[in-house]
Amino acid sequence: MALQMERWAGSKLGEQAHFLMVCVDELPERTARQFVSEYNLKHVQIGYCGSQREYPTFPGQLGCGGLVVFDRDGRIAVAKTSSFNEIGVKAWFQADCTIATLCDEDDEGDDEADVALRLYRDMNSLRRDMNNGYVAALKGRDDVKADSKGKNDRVEVEEKKALGSVPSVGHDLMDSEHEHCAALFQQLDKSPSVNVFEQLVKEIESHFDDEEKLLKSTGFGSGQPEGMSPLITHSQDHRRIVKAAYNMLENVRVKGDDEVIRSNTKELAELFETHATEHDSRYVEYLATF
């Protein structure tokens, strides 16, 4: 979510609207500073609530559960945009359209002006942006940037990241399960197999169950107001990915050719990697205290 907010804030939309992130987890100030350093945030405004007494008085939710959008007069225009945890990156595309429309409300329905403000013209441009600009940001590098059309300013990242590989979370069991899933992703990319794809889907589902049990046992996200618990949004994203994985498995079983298996493998890997970036990274320092 941090990367997406940064992309918006640095675009034409950022000239018309303020983009603000507020961290509310167990270590909010540290998380805010981490976001800035890890993702090289330069445009989005970021802050934190030091305690629940500082939480906003209006209903809200974590960013992956939907954005709160205010109008020019400080009134809530949209209490909750579509949830990333429910529909994935389509939520960001819909939010892009919503914010652009609100910014352009004085132009009396000028659709061309509305479209010109959007960061993304269609879902393909959003996916290209993730695959190019996001990769560079996650690696903490400036040498590869992409515009909304997916064109690189410089050469591609020299070292291609292994499919399905994610950063360590500092917990032996979780790291081991992540590595096992990554090995299956890479095996499928080299030697497509319906049986191995099914094994991967079940392995991901089992890993998610283990992860939720671990987080619940440590109290991660407990005591947070409704909509603010990182454990709830984490679990929601698990369910979204598992549902998508089983839909892909059905597609693979019906068609079964190598190209379909590879395509679905890469799509599932994108979901797996994005989840690790957006959600798993948030419990690393919390677990380190146990």
Side-chain angles (χ1 to χ4, degrees):
M1 192 71 233
L3 289 172
Q4 184 57 49
M5 292 288 281
E6 175 69 5
R7 294 290 288 151
W8 274 321
S11 72
K12 289 182 179 180
L13 273 182
E15 299 173 5
Q16 301 289 326
H18 296 289
F19 287 85
L20 171 66
M21 293 174 52
V22 180
C23 297
V24 296
D25 58 7
E26 283 80 1
L27 302 168
E29 181 179 3
R30 184 180 299 182
T31 299
R33 295 183 182 280
Q34 217 174 2
F35 274 137
V36 173
S37 61
E38 285 183 7
Y39 301 139
N40 194 27
L41 303 182
K42 297 177 179 178
H43 302 97
V44 64
Q45 299 177 64
I46 186 165
Y48 64 92
C49 292
S51 68
Q52 290 192 20
R53 293 193 303 273
E54 298 177 355
Y55 281 12
T57 56
F58 55 84
Q61 56 281 325
L62 297 183
C64 50
L67 305 181
V68 181
V69 184
F70 293 83
D71 65 16
R72 300 171 192 267
D73 299 317
R75 297 171 300 192
I76 294 179
V78 181
K80 181 182 179 182
T81 60
S82 298
S83 168
F84 175 85
N85 290 332
E86 295 175 359
I87 64 174
V89 295
K90 288 181 181 178
W92 293 340
F93 179 71
Q94 291 177 7
D96 191 57
C97 296
T98 298
I99 298 168
T101 299
L102 288 170
C103 287
D104 189 47
E105 62 184 3
D106 293 336
D107 287 332
E108 300 181 355
D110 186 345
D111 291 339
E112 289 186 9
D114 175 14
V115 171
L117 282 176
R118 296 181 196 171
L119 178 57
Y120 305 114
R121 300 302 179 90
D122 51 41
M123 283 298 298
N124 288 333
S125 64
L126 171 54
R127 294 188 184 282
R128 283 196 297 269
D129 192 44
M130 291 181 66
N131 292 336
N132 294 301
Y134 278 29
V135 168
L138 293 176
K139 286 177 174 288
R141 303 175 54 152
D142 294 327
D143 58 345
V144 181
K145 297 181 180 179
D147 60 16
S148 60
K149 296 180 181 179
K151 295 179 180 178
N152 289 337
D153 292 329
R154 289 189 57 190
V155 296
E156 294 181 353
V157 176
E158 294 89 342
E159 184 181 352
K160 184 179 180 181
K161 184 175 70 66
L163 194 67
S165 63
V166 298
S168 168
V169 296
H171 187 278
D172 290 344
L173 177 60
M174 294 299 100
D175 283 345
S176 175
E177 291 184 353
H178 283 158
E179 290 168 4
H180 192 191
C181 290
L184 290 174
F185 276 118
Q186 292 155 37
Q187 180 181 343
L188 282 164
D189 195 36
K190 294 177 181 177
S191 303
S193 162
V194 175
N195 290 336
V196 175
F197 193 93
E198 182 174 2
Q199 181 184 350
L200 171 63
V201 171
K202 292 181 178 178
E203 199 67 40
I204 290 174
E205 184 176 29
S206 175
H207 163 62
F208 286 168
D209 286 341
D210 289 343
E211 190 172 56
E212 289 182 29
K213 289 175 184 176
L214 170 66
L215 296 178
K216 288 177 182 177
S217 71
T218 61
F220 179 74
S222 61
Q224 295 279 30
E226 184 178 357
M228 297 293 186
S229 171
L231 177 59
I232 291 176
T233 57
H234 198 127
S235 300
Q236 288 173 339
D237 203 46
H238 281 170
R239 292 195 293 272
R240 177 181 71 88
I241 294 172
V242 168
K243 180 179 179 180
Y246 273 102
N247 287 338
M248 292 179 202
L249 176 58
E250 184 61 28
N251 186 41
V252 163
R253 283 171 172 164
V254 171
K255 297 183 178 178
D257 61 85
D258 288 0
E259 188 59 34
V260 169
I261 296 173
R262 280 200 176 94
S263 174
N264 281 272
T265 297
K266 290 178 180 177
E267 184 176 350
L268 184 53
E270 180 183 312
L271 295 178
F272 187 75
E273 293 166 12
T274 301
H275 173 82
T277 301
E278 298 286 343
H279 293 277
D280 292 358
S281 60
R282 304 279 64 86
Y283 67 66
V284 174
E285 291 200 20
Y286 178 81
L287 289 185
T289 64
F290 286 86

